[in-house]
PDB file of all heavy atoms in Angstrom:
ATOM      1  N   ASN A   1      85.830  61.715 185.374  1.00 95.00           N
ATOM      2  CA  ASN A   1      85.586  62.918 184.689  1.00 95.00           C
ATOM      3  C   ASN A   1      84.336  63.648 185.143  1.00 95.00           C
ATOM      4  O   ASN A   1      83.591  63.098 186.014  1.00 95.00           O
ATOM      5  CB  ASN A   1      85.492  62.687 183.095  1.00 95.00           C
ATOM      6  CG  ASN A   1      84.249  61.787 182.758  1.00 95.00           C
ATOM      7  OD1 ASN A   1      83.267  61.768 183.469  1.00 95.00           O
ATOM      8  ND2 ASN A   1      84.256  61.288 181.563  1.00 95.00           N
ATOM      9  N   TYR A   2      84.142  64.827 184.665  1.00 94.00           N
ATOM     10  CA  TYR A   2      82.901  65.630 184.931  1.00 94.00           C
ATOM     11  C   TYR A   2      82.754  66.583 183.825  1.00 94.00           C
ATOM     12  O   TYR A   2      83.569  67.555 183.639  1.00 94.00           O
ATOM     13  CB  TYR A   2      83.122  66.408 186.266  1.00 94.00           C
ATOM     14  CG  TYR A   2      81.986  67.218 186.783  1.00 94.00           C
ATOM     15  CD1 TYR A   2      81.262  66.790 187.833  1.00 94.00           C
ATOM     16  CD2 TYR A   2      81.654  68.429 186.156  1.00 94.00           C
ATOM     17  CE1 TYR A   2      80.123  67.548 188.252  1.00 94.00           C
ATOM     18  CE2 TYR A   2      80.657  69.184 186.612  1.00 94.00           C
ATOM     19  CZ  TYR A   2      79.803  68.760 187.682  1.00 94.00           C
ATOM     20  OH  TYR A   2      78.750  69.454 188.162  1.00 94.00           O
ATOM     21  N   HIS A   3      81.675  66.362 182.973  1.00 91.00           N
ATOM     22  CA  HIS A   3      81.648  67.333 181.873  1.00 91.00           C
ATOM     23  C   HIS A   3      80.217  67.346 181.201  1.00 91.00           C
ATOM     24  O   HIS A   3      79.426  66.434 181.427  1.00 91.00           O
ATOM     25  CB  HIS A   3      82.679  66.918 180.755  1.00 91.00           C
ATOM     26  CG  HIS A   3      82.512  65.499 180.233  1.00 91.00           C
ATOM     27  ND1 HIS A   3      81.641  65.158 179.265  1.00 91.00           N
ATOM     28  CD2 HIS A   3      83.164  64.331 180.480  1.00 91.00           C
ATOM     29  CE1 HIS A   3      81.770  63.933 179.042  1.00 91.00           C
ATOM     30  NE2 HIS A   3      82.599  63.358 179.741  1.00 91.00           N
ATOM     31  N   HIS A   4      80.042  68.382 180.360  1.00 92.00           N
ATOM     32  CA  HIS A   4      78.801  68.375 179.550  1.00 92.00           C
ATOM     33  C   HIS A   4      78.907  67.377 178.396  1.00 92.00           C
ATOM     34  O   HIS A   4      80.028  67.085 177.852  1.00 92.00           O
ATOM     35  CB  HIS A   4      78.634  69.768 178.986  1.00 92.00           C
ATOM     36  CG  HIS A   4      78.320  70.861 179.975  1.00 92.00           C
ATOM     37  ND1 HIS A   4      77.014  71.238 180.174  1.00 92.00           N
ATOM     38  CD2 HIS A   4      79.116  71.579 180.646  1.00 92.00           C
ATOM     39  CE1 HIS A   4      77.053  72.176 181.099  1.00 92.00           C
ATOM     40  NE2 HIS A   4      78.259  72.382 181.438  1.00 92.00           N
ATOM     41  N   VAL A   5      77.774  66.880 177.993  1.00 91.00           N
ATOM     42  CA  VAL A   5      77.756  66.009 176.820  1.00 91.00           C
ATOM     43  C   VAL A   5      76.764  66.462 175.765  1.00 91.00           C
ATOM     44  O   VAL A   5      75.752  67.193 176.128  1.00 91.00           O
ATOM     45  CB  VAL A   5      77.448  64.491 177.244  1.00 91.00           C
ATOM     46  CG1 VAL A   5      78.507  64.043 178.122  1.00 91.00           C
ATOM     47  CG2 VAL A   5      76.068  64.414 177.965  1.00 91.00           C
ATOM     48  N   ALA A   6      76.921  66.119 174.492  1.00 92.00           N
ATOM     49  CA  ALA A   6      76.124  66.643 173.394  1.00 92.00           C
ATOM     50  C   ALA A   6      74.748  65.927 173.505  1.00 92.00           C
ATOM     51  O   ALA A   6      74.658  64.774 173.836  1.00 92.00           O
ATOM     52  CB  ALA A   6      76.824  66.362 172.165  1.00 92.00           C
ATOM     53  N   PRO A   7      73.738  66.575 173.065  1.00 91.00           N
ATOM     54  CA  PRO A   7      72.362  65.989 172.837  1.00 91.00           C
ATOM     55  C   PRO A   7      72.478  64.760 171.952  1.00 91.00           C
ATOM     56  O   PRO A   7      73.219  64.744 170.947  1.00 91.00           O
ATOM     57  CB  PRO A   7      71.499  66.999 172.242  1.00 91.00           C
ATOM     58  CG  PRO A   7      72.202  68.401 172.616  1.00 91.00           C
ATOM     59  CD  PRO A   7      73.636  68.020 172.653  1.00 91.00           C
ATOM     60  N   ALA A   8      71.778  63.751 172.305  1.00 90.00           N
ATOM     61  CA  ALA A   8      71.732  62.482 171.486  1.00 90.00           C
ATOM     62  C   ALA A   8      73.086  61.683 171.582  1.00 90.00           C
ATOM     63  O   ALA A   8      73.229  60.666 170.776  1.00 90.00           O
ATOM     64  CB  ALA A   8      71.258  62.743 170.106  1.00 90.00           C
ATOM     65  N   ALA A   9      73.982  62.054 172.428  1.00 94.00           N
ATOM     66  CA  ALA A   9      75.243  61.274 172.555  1.00 94.00           C
ATOM     67  C   ALA A   9      75.070  59.949 172.980  1.00 94.00           C
ATOM     68  O   ALA A   9      74.092  59.627 173.790  1.00 94.00           O
ATOM     69  CB  ALA A   9      76.228  62.015 173.474  1.00 94.00           C
ATOM     70  N   VAL A  10      75.820  58.884 172.355  1.00 94.00           N
ATOM     71  CA  VAL A  10      75.614  57.516 172.692  1.00 94.00           C
ATOM     72  C   VAL A  10      76.978  56.825 173.029  1.00 94.00           C
ATOM     73  O   VAL A  10      77.936  57.157 172.326  1.00 94.00           O
ATOM     74  CB  VAL A  10      74.959  56.721 171.510  1.00 94.00           C
ATOM     75  CG1 VAL A  10      74.783  55.299 171.804  1.00 94.00           C
ATOM     76  CG2 VAL A  10      73.594  57.383 171.202  1.00 94.00           C
ATOM     77  N   TRP A  11      77.011  56.042 174.027  1.00 93.00           N
ATOM     78  CA  TRP A  11      78.171  55.226 174.302  1.00 93.00           C
ATOM     79  C   TRP A  11      77.773  53.729 174.324  1.00 93.00           C
ATOM     80  O   TRP A  11      76.939  53.332 175.076  1.00 93.00           O
ATOM     81  CB  TRP A  11      78.729  55.536 175.787  1.00 93.00           C
ATOM     82  CG  TRP A  11      79.209  56.952 175.900  1.00 93.00           C
ATOM     83  CD1 TRP A  11      80.438  57.416 175.825  1.00 93.00           C
ATOM     84  CD2 TRP A  11      78.382  58.140 176.169  1.00 93.00           C
ATOM     85  NE1 TRP A  11      80.444  58.758 176.028  1.00 93.00           N
ATOM     86  CE2 TRP A  11      79.197  59.272 176.218  1.00 93.00           C
ATOM     87  CE3 TRP A  11      77.037  58.271 176.388  1.00 93.00           C
ATOM     88  CZ2 TRP A  11      78.695  60.479 176.467  1.00 93.00           C
ATOM     89  CZ3 TRP A  11      76.499  59.492 176.675  1.00 93.00           C
ATOM     90  CH2 TRP A  11      77.335  60.675 176.675  1.00 93.00           C
ATOM     91  N   GLY A  12      78.394  53.014 173.395  1.00 87.00           N
ATOM     92  CA  GLY A  12      78.094  51.578 173.379  1.00 87.00           C
ATOM     93  C   GLY A  12      77.365  51.239 172.093  1.00 87.00           C
ATOM     94  O   GLY A  12      77.070  52.021 171.206  1.00 87.00           O
ATOM     95  N   PRO A  13      77.040  49.834 172.055  1.00 92.00           N
ATOM     96  CA  PRO A  13      77.155  48.825 173.046  1.00 92.00           C
ATOM     97  C   PRO A  13      78.636  48.661 173.410  1.00 92.00           C
ATOM     98  O   PRO A  13      79.537  48.605 172.555  1.00 92.00           O
ATOM     99  CB  PRO A  13      76.573  47.604 172.437  1.00 92.00           C
ATOM    100  CG  PRO A  13      75.634  48.074 171.357  1.00 92.00           C
ATOM    101  CD  PRO A  13      76.325  49.261 170.854  1.00 92.00           C
ATOM    102  N   ARG A  14      78.965  48.524 174.737  1.00 92.00           N
ATOM    103  CA  ARG A  14      80.341  48.422 175.235  1.00 92.00           C
ATOM    104  C   ARG A  14      80.338  47.547 176.434  1.00 92.00           C
ATOM    105  O   ARG A  14      79.319  47.240 177.064  1.00 92.00           O
ATOM    106  CB  ARG A  14      80.826  49.813 175.505  1.00 92.00           C
ATOM    107  CG  ARG A  14      80.131  50.507 176.626  1.00 92.00           C
ATOM    108  CD  ARG A  14      80.734  51.790 176.982  1.00 92.00           C
ATOM    109  NE  ARG A  14      80.076  52.398 178.123  1.00 92.00           N
ATOM    110  CZ  ARG A  14      80.455  53.557 178.782  1.00 92.00           C
ATOM    111  NH1 ARG A  14      81.645  54.167 178.303  1.00 92.00           N
ATOM    112  NH2 ARG A  14      79.905  54.064 179.766  1.00 92.00           N
ATOM    113  N   ARG A  15      81.551  47.105 176.762  1.00 92.00           N
ATOM    114  CA  ARG A  15      81.711  46.319 177.955  1.00 92.00           C
ATOM    115  C   ARG A  15      83.010  46.786 178.558  1.00 92.00           C
ATOM    116  O   ARG A  15      84.095  46.903 177.893  1.00 92.00           O
ATOM    117  CB  ARG A  15      81.882  44.826 177.517  1.00 92.00           C
ATOM    118  CG  ARG A  15      82.148  43.892 178.728  1.00 92.00           C
ATOM    119  CD  ARG A  15      82.293  42.469 178.299  1.00 92.00           C
ATOM    120  NE  ARG A  15      81.109  41.946 177.577  1.00 92.00           N
ATOM    121  CZ  ARG A  15      81.118  40.759 177.020  1.00 92.00           C
ATOM    122  NH1 ARG A  15      82.149  39.971 177.122  1.00 92.00           N
ATOM    123  NH2 ARG A  15      79.969  40.348 176.445  1.00 92.00           N
ATOM    124  N   ILE A  16      82.926  47.020 179.876  1.00 91.00           N
ATOM    125  CA  ILE A  16      84.097  47.706 180.638  1.00 91.00           C
ATOM    126  C   ILE A  16      84.639  46.646 181.630  1.00 91.00           C
ATOM    127  O   ILE A  16      83.848  45.923 182.174  1.00 91.00           O
ATOM    128  CB  ILE A  16      83.709  48.953 181.239  1.00 91.00           C
ATOM    129  CG1 ILE A  16      83.225  50.025 180.226  1.00 91.00           C
ATOM    130  CG2 ILE A  16      84.784  49.560 182.095  1.00 91.00           C
ATOM    131  CD1 ILE A  16      82.651  51.233 180.729  1.00 91.00           C
ATOM    132  N   ALA A  17      85.974  46.624 181.807  1.00 92.00           N
ATOM    133  CA  ALA A  17      86.529  45.577 182.636  1.00 92.00           C
ATOM    134  C   ALA A  17      86.482  45.900 184.076  1.00 92.00           C
ATOM    135  O   ALA A  17      86.732  44.991 184.983  1.00 92.00           O
ATOM    136  CB  ALA A  17      88.030  45.382 182.204  1.00 92.00           C
ATOM    137  N   ASP A  18      86.203  47.129 184.422  1.00 94.00           N
ATOM    138  CA  ASP A  18      86.115  47.441 185.903  1.00 94.00           C
ATOM    139  C   ASP A  18      84.751  48.158 186.194  1.00 94.00           C
ATOM    140  O   ASP A  18      83.951  48.329 185.412  1.00 94.00           O
ATOM    141  CB  ASP A  18      87.192  48.326 186.302  1.00 94.00           C
ATOM    142  CG  ASP A  18      87.421  49.643 185.403  1.00 94.00           C
ATOM    143  OD1 ASP A  18      86.423  50.000 184.711  1.00 94.00           O
ATOM    144  OD2 ASP A  18      88.472  50.160 185.325  1.00 94.00           O
ATOM    145  N   LEU A  19      84.524  48.378 187.487  1.00 96.00           N
ATOM    146  CA  LEU A  19      83.277  49.034 188.006  1.00 96.00           C
ATOM    147  C   LEU A  19      83.257  50.485 187.389  1.00 96.00           C
ATOM    148  O   LEU A  19      84.243  51.212 187.472  1.00 96.00           O
ATOM    149  CB  LEU A  19      83.259  48.996 189.459  1.00 96.00           C
ATOM    150  CG  LEU A  19      82.219  49.963 190.146  1.00 96.00           C
ATOM    151  CD1 LEU A  19      80.873  49.370 189.954  1.00 96.00           C
ATOM    152  CD2 LEU A  19      82.519  50.007 191.715  1.00 96.00           C
ATOM    153  N   GLU A  20      82.053  50.906 186.957  1.00 97.00           N
ATOM    154  CA  GLU A  20      81.873  52.282 186.640  1.00 97.00           C
ATOM    155  C   GLU A  20      80.606  52.831 187.379  1.00 97.00           C
ATOM    156  O   GLU A  20      79.582  52.251 187.417  1.00 97.00           O
ATOM    157  CB  GLU A  20      81.607  52.450 185.123  1.00 97.00           C
ATOM    158  CG  GLU A  20      81.434  53.935 184.715  1.00 97.00           C
ATOM    159  CD  GLU A  20      81.247  54.052 183.172  1.00 97.00           C
ATOM    160  OE1 GLU A  20      80.987  53.033 182.489  1.00 97.00           O
ATOM    161  OE2 GLU A  20      81.309  55.221 182.798  1.00 97.00           O
ATOM    162  N   LEU A  21      80.844  54.008 187.970  1.00 97.00           N
ATOM    163  CA  LEU A  21      79.767  54.804 188.599  1.00 97.00           C
ATOM    164  C   LEU A  21      79.461  55.989 187.773  1.00 97.00           C
ATOM    165  O   LEU A  21      80.457  56.728 187.456  1.00 97.00           O
ATOM    166  CB  LEU A  21      80.089  55.152 190.015  1.00 97.00           C
ATOM    167  CG  LEU A  21      80.332  53.985 191.054  1.00 97.00           C
ATOM    168  CD1 LEU A  21      80.706  54.666 192.400  1.00 97.00           C
ATOM    169  CD2 LEU A  21      79.168  53.105 191.142  1.00 97.00           C
ATOM    170  N   ILE A  22      78.245  56.309 187.474  1.00 97.00           N
ATOM    171  CA  ILE A  22      77.882  57.488 186.649  1.00 97.00           C
ATOM    172  C   ILE A  22      76.889  58.311 187.384  1.00 97.00           C
ATOM    173  O   ILE A  22      75.780  57.804 187.619  1.00 97.00           O
ATOM    174  CB  ILE A  22      77.363  57.106 185.249  1.00 97.00           C
ATOM    175  CG1 ILE A  22      78.348  56.265 184.412  1.00 97.00           C
ATOM    176  CG2 ILE A  22      76.955  58.372 184.449  1.00 97.00           C
ATOM    177  CD1 ILE A  22      77.791  55.692 183.225  1.00 97.00           C
ATOM    178  N   LEU A  23      77.240  59.519 187.747  1.00 96.00           N
ATOM    179  CA  LEU A  23      76.286  60.450 188.434  1.00 96.00           C
ATOM    180  C   LEU A  23      75.697  61.329 187.364  1.00 96.00           C
ATOM    181  O   LEU A  23      76.403  61.956 186.594  1.00 96.00           O
ATOM    182  CB  LEU A  23      76.967  61.291 189.441  1.00 96.00           C
ATOM    183  CG  LEU A  23      76.223  62.510 189.997  1.00 96.00           C
ATOM    184  CD1 LEU A  23      75.040  62.021 190.832  1.00 96.00           C
ATOM    185  CD2 LEU A  23      77.108  63.407 190.796  1.00 96.00           C
ATOM    186  N   VAL A  24      74.409  61.360 187.251  1.00 95.00           N
ATOM    187  CA  VAL A  24      73.694  62.288 186.313  1.00 95.00           C
ATOM    188  C   VAL A  24      73.605  63.649 187.011  1.00 95.00           C
ATOM    189  O   VAL A  24      72.916  63.833 188.003  1.00 95.00           O
ATOM    190  CB  VAL A  24      72.272  61.754 185.992  1.00 95.00           C
ATOM    191  CG1 VAL A  24      71.578  62.786 185.055  1.00 95.00           C
ATOM    192  CG2 VAL A  24      72.336  60.401 185.357  1.00 95.00           C
ATOM    193  N   VAL A  25      74.291  64.585 186.465  1.00 92.00           N
ATOM    194  CA  VAL A  25      74.349  65.955 186.977  1.00 92.00           C
ATOM    195  C   VAL A  25      73.271  66.785 186.430  1.00 92.00           C
ATOM    196  O   VAL A  25      72.740  67.681 187.231  1.00 92.00           O
ATOM    197  CB  VAL A  25      75.827  66.580 186.763  1.00 92.00           C
ATOM    198  CG1 VAL A  25      75.805  68.050 187.324  1.00 92.00           C
ATOM    199  CG2 VAL A  25      76.901  65.676 187.330  1.00 92.00           C
ATOM    200  N   GLU A  26      72.885  66.596 185.206  1.00 91.00           N
ATOM    201  CA  GLU A  26      71.955  67.434 184.551  1.00 91.00           C
ATOM    202  C   GLU A  26      71.321  66.501 183.407  1.00 91.00           C
ATOM    203  O   GLU A  26      71.926  65.790 182.752  1.00 91.00           O
ATOM    204  CB  GLU A  26      72.468  68.615 183.965  1.00 91.00           C
ATOM    205  CG  GLU A  26      71.444  69.597 183.329  1.00 91.00           C
ATOM    206  CD  GLU A  26      72.071  70.873 182.813  1.00 91.00           C
ATOM    207  OE1 GLU A  26      73.323  70.999 182.757  1.00 91.00           O
ATOM    208  OE2 GLU A  26      71.324  71.844 182.451  1.00 91.00           O
TER     209      GLU A  26
END
């Protein structure tokens, strides 16, 4: 994906079964 996110948005605590790469765009 590639998208804007809301201020103060939170993901987790979570555990993912595969590799995740996250690029900080802004």
Side-chain angles (χ1 to χ4, degrees):
N1 68 19
Y2 183 104
H3 60 81
H4 291 267
V5 295
V10 179
W11 297 264
R14 62 180 185 171
R15 182 183 297 176
I16 297 173
D18 50 22
L19 167 67
E20 181 177 13
L21 299 179
I22 302 173
L23 170 66
V24 179
V25 179
E26 183 179 9

